[in-house]
Amino acid sequence: GKVWGRIHGDGPVHSALREATSDLHACLDAQLGGGFSLRGDYARYLRGMHAFLGTARDARPARRDWADAHAHLAADLDAMALTALRARPVARVDDEAAGIGWDYVVDGASLGARMLLRDAGALGIDAAHGGAFLAHHAAAGSQWPRRLAGWAAHPRRDEAGFVERACAAAREAFAHAVDAMAAAGALRA
């Protein structure tokens, strides 16, 4: 509603992104099962996120924080003696609107990382023992309100095709996330 939008910086770009990806987001959330109850669930999640974030890093190389997050995932894979999956090829995103779409998916995942960090902790996983990525990504969630405010005030938000390109890119990013999680066996039937 209107109060939620004022508090969280909701605007036409964020609203359109949320609406355009709601089916993919709900599907991914449902198939991941809402968290980890077993170390094997967490291992599959790590492998899938490593592959997805590798793809995202390749799509948006200017996002150094994504390269850092990918390095945390690599360290977590090593700490848990897991093999990495290959990142899927992706075209480099040079369009500002498309960049916002990818940002929406990757940065938005930091909000869920807070819950997943708690689940991982219950399995004995922490930042020093296979949970560096989740600790890093959950902390990055504090930047989400700033990101939303930036999109709400974006000077090109009303430009013809801008929001549509952002939404198409967000759907592409979600599709890459689903593919990576499926390749890792992290999706439940």
Side-chain angles (χ1 to χ4, degrees):
K2 291 181 182 181
V3 172
W4 174 266
R6 282 196 309 266
I7 293 170
H8 295 283
D10 203 9
V13 177
H14 181 234
S15 294
L17 287 164
R18 188 176 53 235
E19 183 177 327
T21 61
S22 63
D23 60 329
L24 291 167
H25 194 190
C27 178
L28 189 60
D29 282 351
Q31 290 183 349
L32 286 172
F36 318 119
S37 57
L38 303 169
R39 287 180 75 89
D41 295 336
Y42 182 67
R44 288 184 287 278
Y45 166 81
L46 274 182
R47 294 181 74 221
M49 277 304 291
H50 183 265
F52 170 61
L53 220 25
T55 298
R57 176 206 59 206
D58 294 345
R60 304 257 297 135
R63 289 292 308 263
R64 292 296 313 149
D65 56 326
W66 292 0
D68 293 344
H70 191 254
H72 287 297
L73 280 161
D76 290 343
L77 289 175
D78 287 345
M80 297 187 70
L82 299 170
T83 57
L85 297 172
R86 189 176 302 213
R88 304 248 193 244
V90 64
R92 182 180 171 135
V93 174
D94 293 320
D95 177 66
E96 186 177 14
I100 288 173
W102 277 86
D103 293 350
Y104 172 75
V105 175
V106 177
D107 294 342
S110 66
L111 302 176
R114 293 176 184 181
M115 177 198 70
L116 297 177
L117 182 61
R118 184 184 61 236
D119 290 351
L123 298 172
I125 297 164
D126 60 25
H129 301 97
F133 165 73
L134 277 178
H136 170 82
H137 208 49
S142 66
Q143 297 301 311
W144 186 247
R146 184 180 59 81
R147 177 85 55 210
L148 293 178
W151 295 337
H154 196 284
R156 295 178 60 200
R157 70 184 178 277
D158 297 323
E159 180 182 297
F162 187 84
V163 171
E164 291 80 5
R165 291 192 316 275
C167 290
R171 289 191 62 82
E172 176 189 10
F174 262 115
H176 279 286
V178 168
D179 287 348
M181 290 299 176
L187 301 182
R188 296 189 172 110

